[in-house]
Amino acid sequence: TLTPTLSLIRYGVTPYDMFVDGDRLLVLGYHYDESSGANDGRPLLTTRALLLDISDRAAPLALRAIEVEGEYLSSRKVDSFVH
C-alpha cells in the first residue's frame, strides 16, 4: 500500500487538522514567528489556514493562506463547510 505524503514545510505551517472536499485540501495549523520581536522577545504564535488545490496529487497548488494571531483550538467539517 502506498501512502501519499505532502510536505508543508515550504508553506510554514505545522498542521493540526486537515480536511478534504473534492479537489480541495484545507490545512489548519500553527506557525511560530521567532523573528517578530513581539511578545516580549518570545516567538509569536499564529494560526494558519492553507487552502490547496489537490486535483494534481503530484503537484498541489496553494490557492489561499490566512494567518491570525492566537492559538488554534479545534474545528469540524459539516458537509462542505469547516467550522
Side-chain angles (χ1 to χ4, degrees), residues 18-30:
M18 292 190 229
F19 299 95
V20 175
D21 188 46
D23 288 334
R24 298 289 189 260
L25 169 66
L26 178 64
V27 179
L28 298 169
Y30 68 90

Side-chain angles (χ1 to χ4, degrees), residues 3-68:
T3 304
T5 60
L6 172 65
S7 174
L8 297 170
I9 294 171
R10 68 178 167 197
Y11 301 112
V13 62
T14 300
Y16 278 148
D17 281 321
M18 292 190 229
F19 299 95
V20 175
D21 188 46
D23 288 334
R24 298 289 189 260
L25 169 66
L26 178 64
V27 179
L28 298 169
Y30 68 90
H31 171 74
Y32 283 107
D33 185 356
E34 296 185 27
S35 63
S36 71
N39 211 21
D40 296 326
R42 296 176 307 215
L44 181 64
L45 175 66
T46 59
T47 296
R48 287 190 176 180
L50 177 63
L51 181 63
L52 299 163
D53 179 338
I54 57 170
S55 55
D56 180 357
R57 301 296 202 257
L61 176 65
L63 298 175
R64 185 166 185 185
I66 298 171
E67 184 171 16
V68 293

